[in-house]
C-alpha cells in the first residue's frame, strides 16, 4: 500500500508531547493499532503518529477512505473538528483551531459568493489528489456553519468569549518563545495575554527566564494598567472626601445664624416690654 505523508498536513495540528507519544507507543505495542488510519486517496489525513509507530515496529494497521473530501480545505476542517472534539487538547489549542476554522469558512463563503456572481460553471479544483477527479466525490461534506461572531467561535472551542479575545491577542502580538510557553502549559492563557502587551524583547527575556519571571512580568503589566485607572478616580475620591467637610461647615454656620437670630428676637422682646411699661406709666 502506497501511503503519502503530506508534511503540511502532519504539522497542521500541534504534535503530541514526548510523554503523550510514549504513552501511545506503549498502547500500540500492547494492544495493536486499534483505530484505522484515515486516507484521502493516497494521502494520510489522520493517524500520523500511529502510522509512524507501526512502521517503526513493523506492526499491521487498517486504513479507511474518506470519500467526502473535495479540497484540502475540507481536509483541514475535518481535522479541526476531530481535534476540537477531543478532551486531551488544551484550551489554547482549541482556541487556535476554532480561529483557524473561522478563516477557512470565511474564505470558502467569500469564494462561493464570488463564483456564483461571476459564472454558473463549477470551478476546477486544483486541490484534488492525483489520480482522483472531482467527479469521484459524489457526496461532499455539508458546508460548515459560519463563525461570524466571537461568541460562535467561543462555542465551537468550548471557551469563554474573553478567552478567545486573549488567544487572538497572543496570536497577533506574542513572540514565538511566549507562544511556546503557553502551548506547553507552562503559563496560562491569561498570563500569556498580559505578557504579550510587552515589547518583543521583554517577552523573550521573560520566557527564557522561566515560569516565575513570566508570572512576574504579567503582574507588572496588570499593575501598570490598574494604576492609571486608580489615579483617574482619585480626584473624584477627593471631592467625595471634601463633601462632608463642606456640609459640616454649612451646618455650623446655620447654627451660628440661628443663635444670632434668637438673640435678636430676645432683644426685640425686651424692648417691646420696656416700651409697654413706659406707656403704662
Amino acid at each position: 500500500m502506497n501511503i503519502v505523508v503530506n508534511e503540511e498536513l502532519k504539522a497542521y495540528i500541534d504534535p503530541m508531547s514526548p510523554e503523550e507519544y510514549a504513552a501511545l507507543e506503549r498502547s500500540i505495542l500492547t494492544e495493536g493499532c486499534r483505530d484505522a488510519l484515515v486516507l484521502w486517496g493516497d494521502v494520510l489525513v489522520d493517524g500520523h503518529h500511529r502510522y509512524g509507530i507501526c512502521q517503526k515496529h513493523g506492526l499491521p494497521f487498517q486504513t479507511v477512505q474518506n470519500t467526502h473530501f473535495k479540497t484540502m480545505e475540507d481536509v483541514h476542517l475535518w481535522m479541526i473538528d476531530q481535534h476540537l472534539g477531543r478532551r486531551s487538547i488544551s484550551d489554547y489549542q482549541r482556541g487556535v483551531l476554532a480561529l483557524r476554522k473561522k478563516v477557512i469558512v470565511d474564505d470558502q463563503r467569500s469564494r462561493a459568493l464570488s463564483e456564483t456572481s461571476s459564472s454558473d460553471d463549477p470551478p476546477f479544483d486544483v486541490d484534488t489528489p492525483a489520480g482522483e477527479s472531482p467527479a469521484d466525490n459524489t457526496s461532499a461534506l455539508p458546508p460548515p456553519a459560519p463563525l461570524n461572531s466571537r461568541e460562535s467561535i467561543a462555542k465551537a472551542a468550548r471557551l469563554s468569549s474573553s478567552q478567545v479575545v486573549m488567544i487572538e491577542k497572543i496570536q497577533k502580538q506574542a513572540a514565538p518563545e511566549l507562544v511556546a510557553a503557553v502551548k506547553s502549559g507552562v503559563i496560562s492563557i491569561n498570563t500569556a495575554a498580559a505578557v504579550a502587551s510587552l515589547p518583543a524583547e521583554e517577552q523573550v527575556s521573560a520566557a527564557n527566564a522561566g515560569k516565575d519571571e513570566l508570572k512576574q512580568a504579567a503582574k507588572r503589566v496588570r499593575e501598570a494598567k490598574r494604576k492609571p485607572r486608580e489615579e483617574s478616580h482619585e480626584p473624584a475620591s477627593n471631592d467625595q472626601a471634601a463633601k462632608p467637610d463642606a456640609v459640616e461647615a454649612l451646618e455650623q454656620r446655620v447654627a451660628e445664624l440661628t443663635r444670632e437670630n434668637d438673640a435678636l428676637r430676645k432683644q426685640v422682646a425686651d424692648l417691646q416690654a420696656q416700651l409697654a411699661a413706659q406707656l403704662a406709666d
Side-chain angles (χ1 to χ4, degrees):
M1 179 183 297
N2 180 37
I3 293 181
V4 177
V5 175
N6 182 308
E7 293 300 326
E8 185 269 338
L9 280 182
K10 184 178 179 180
Y12 191 70
I13 305 294
D14 288 337
M16 289 181 173
S17 67
E19 294 78 14
E20 291 171 330
Y21 185 89
L24 177 63
E25 187 171 26
R26 286 194 300 270
S27 173
I28 291 177
L29 289 174
T30 303
E31 305 173 12
C33 187
R34 295 178 298 176
D35 298 324
L37 311 182
V38 179
L39 301 178
W40 179 34
D42 293 337
V43 178
L44 179 59
V45 173
D46 185 62
H48 291 88
H49 294 106
R50 282 174 279 140
Y51 177 64
I53 292 169
C54 289
Q55 290 288 93
K56 176 182 175 182
H57 297 284
L59 299 174
F61 55 86
Q62 295 180 331
T63 64
V64 61
Q65 284 285 338
N66 191 318
T67 58
H68 298 292
F69 300 141
K70 295 183 67 178
T71 68
M72 187 62 77
E73 285 182 339
D74 290 340
V75 175
H76 287 163
L77 287 173
W78 183 87
M79 293 175 72
I80 288 171
D81 287 339
Q82 290 296 305
H83 282 77
L84 285 176
R86 295 174 181 172
R87 290 179 292 180
S88 58
I89 66 172
S90 68
D91 288 348
Y92 179 76
Q93 288 175 308
R94 283 204 302 272
V96 169
L97 290 174
L99 289 168
R100 284 184 188 174
K101 182 175 181 177
K102 171 179 168 51
V103 172
I104 296 173
V105 172
D106 287 349
D107 287 346
Q108 284 185 337
R109 290 180 176 274
S110 296
R111 284 200 307 272
L113 289 173
S114 176
E115 290 163 359
T116 300
S117 61
S118 62
S119 172
D120 292 330
D121 296 329
F124 178 72
D125 189 351
V126 297
D127 287 327
T128 302
E132 183 177 335
S133 67
D136 293 332
N137 285 322
T138 57
S139 178
L141 290 170
L147 301 176
N148 49 14
S149 69
R150 189 164 283 121
E151 289 72 20
S152 61
I153 299 170
K155 183 177 180 181
R158 303 200 307 278
L159 301 173
S160 67
S161 297
S162 60
Q163 284 176 307
V164 172
V165 172
M166 288 187 286
I167 291 170
E168 286 180 304
K169 181 178 180 180
I170 293 168
Q171 285 194 297
K172 292 176 182 177
Q173 299 178 216
E177 292 81 357
L178 181 59
V179 173
V182 70
K183 275 185 176 180
S184 63
V186 171
I187 56 174
S188 67
I189 295 171
N190 194 308
T191 297
V195 178
S197 302
L198 297 171
E201 298 80 6
E202 294 184 37
Q203 294 182 38
V204 173
S205 177
N208 290 336
K211 179 178 180 179
D212 290 341
E213 178 55 32
L214 283 167
K215 287 186 174 181
Q216 288 300 317
K219 183 179 179 181
R220 290 193 294 270
V221 170
R222 296 186 188 108
E223 289 176 346
K225 290 181 178 179
R226 192 180 302 120
K227 189 173 181 181
R229 289 199 297 267
E230 291 174 351
E231 290 176 349
S232 65
H233 289 115
E234 188 173 345
S237 298
N238 290 339
D239 290 344
Q240 291 175 353
K243 285 180 180 179
D245 294 338
V247 171
E248 185 178 354
L250 287 172
E251 288 176 348
Q252 291 177 353
R253 181 57 179 160
V254 169
E256 291 174 359
L257 291 173
T258 301
R259 287 194 295 271
E260 291 177 3
N261 192 32
D262 290 342
L264 289 173
R265 285 178 178 175
K266 188 175 182 303
Q267 290 179 4
V268 169
D270 291 343
L271 290 173
Q272 286 177 340
Q274 292 176 8
L275 181 60
Q278 290 175 359
L279 292 174
D281 293 341

